[in-house]
Amino acid sequence: MSTHQGNLVVYNSLSGQKEKFEPIHTNHVGMYVCGPTLYSEPHMGNMRTFINFDMIYRYLLVLGYKVKYVRNITDAGHITNSLGEAVDSIGNAARLEQMQSLEIVYKYNVKFQELQRIYNLLPPSIEPTATGHIQEQIEHIEKIIENGFAYVVNGSVYFDVKKYSEKYEYGILSGRKVDELAEETRVLNAQDEKRFFADFALWKKANPEDMQIWRSPWGDGNPGWHIECTAMSTKYLGSHFDIHGGGMDLKFPHHEDEIAQNCGSLGCNPAKYWLHANMLNVNGQKMSKSLGNYFLPKEIVDGTTELFDKPYSPNVIRFFMMQAQYRSNLDFTSDALNAAEKGFTRMSDAVLLISKLKTSATSSFNVDELIASFYEAMNDDFNTSILVANLFEAVKRINLINDGNDTITTQDLAKLETEMLRFIYDVLGLQILTENSNEKLAPVMDLVIDLRQQARENKDWTTSDKIRDGLAAAGITIKDGKEGTSWG
RNA sequence: GGUCUCGUGGCCGAGCGGCUAGGCACCGGUCUGCAAAACCGUCUACUCCGGUUCGAAUCCGGACGAGACCUCCA
């Protein structure tokens, strides 16, 4: 258990303020994060949200909390589009690819698992699926009807926002007022089954062409978009848990409706703290399919997106993201990524240096203070930007010690190493590659470097430069250092 | 149109009343056969106009600009 546990402050979207983090049950944290809808491969923007909540999960673990982290998988695609019409996004994708819904879901789930591995995401405690919890969703809907906050029309069930507003505040999270919403929204169509424009579907009667159909007390159909999260969060975390997270764009209507459903069935807001991660921008605008500034997490790693002229390692991407706070916008540009790549290399080099440092009788700077600054940064609403800055402060110290301009005791060095690795590996989720592990090339390179060294000792600069340039042409960079020559 | 965020040095990105992060680039230096790399140092910015204050990038008002949400979206 960490002594830093009591000092965490988080920004709660519900209050619009930073609040002291106090779990409902001491030392235990329940966290629910809205996961992907598996009708396509998650894009980089999706990944930013998952990476940010992975970082939050990691830090809570480092603080010593016992965390139950639930992230759902939406594999039932019945949702409504902007016209209020039912759209089966997974079914549509399936038809397009001439597959069945479950094949589509399976296919993209495999891809998603691969991305989690590539980007070093810790697996959640559980990843429940919507289709695995149809019964729970139906029971939830029944309870909402019982409580008088929903009505049945032609085999579909709708949430009654007007009725709900008499007892609860619809719009509490997003700051919307039902009356204001009314003014700006289109008139209901004649064929619309909803009584009020803001009402939303809890259960939708099946269309003959739907690939996924379930039985319910109201006939065959599909669950609405929001009810799965309510059903699953309740099942695994209870009616009221600590953290509910997701992307900023889910605030309304998704999370707003989750709150309404939870209040409507169980009488309380599902979560104590609502955390929202900000969007990812590419060249100044939110990444989206329609704007063409869209790329996949795999493409940027493989270098196959035309938006960037070179590939970047997942660690560099993660590091780049961690340089911004999760609530800020982050703009992906080549310049910014290149800068992050160099910065990450510098940090990595320093980390590899730690174990080789010479210790002294005294430390010339306050190591405890430096370490405390790591926790202070993270305790302030997971401010990874400040954390990275403070880690670079440590990087500078490590280099100064290496150059003999600073000193550190054995004890302090051990502490510094432990804490730096904790924050870089365990909190930020970065991986630093230790050695060049190309088994066949390594002895060859040792030989080549040895030959070049001989040439240099003989002042045969023509030969030594020829070797250097030849290797460079082959994509191998030679670095001459004090301790010898390295390559990569 | 409504609601809300935000405008920080060449680029990214913190800070949220005084101590003016950090990374990258630039420049200077150390090292080096030369170079690269590495390391050290330097560089002092807050869109504009008013106001509050002893003091504002930070608070208030206004202008201009950008972005997000307003039933697809992480």
Side-chain angles (χ1 to χ4, degrees), chain A residues 25 86 99 106 112 144 204-205 264 272 283 339 357 391 412 456 458:
Chain A
H25 304 288
M99 287 179 170
Y106 183 75
F112 184 53
I144 296 171
K204 198 76 182 159
K205 184 182 180 176
K272 186 174 179 188
N283 299 320
L357 292 179
L391 286 170
D412 278 346
R456 293 179 74 201
N458 297 331

Side-chain angles (χ1 to χ4, degrees), chain A residues 303-337:
Chain A
T304 50
T305 168
E306 286 176 12
L307 289 161
F308 305 104
D309 48 17
K310 55 172 282 198
Y312 297 94
S313 90
N315 275 311
V316 168
I317 304 289
R318 229 187 131 115
F319 176 80
F320 174 59
M321 289 185 174
M322 293 298 138
Q323 279 190 301
Q325 210 252 359
Y326 77 95
R327 283 193 293 120
S328 301
N329 269 128
L330 177 63
D331 202 9
F332 262 65
T333 61
S334 288
D335 286 349
L337 285 166

Side-chain angles (χ1 to χ4, degrees), chain A residues 48 77 95 97 111 155 239 263 354 433 443 463 468:
Chain A
R48 154 120 118 137
R95 269 183 283 279
E97 300 191 32
K111 292 229 181 202
S239 58
C263 290
I354 298 180
L433 303 174
T463 304
R468 184 213 285 160

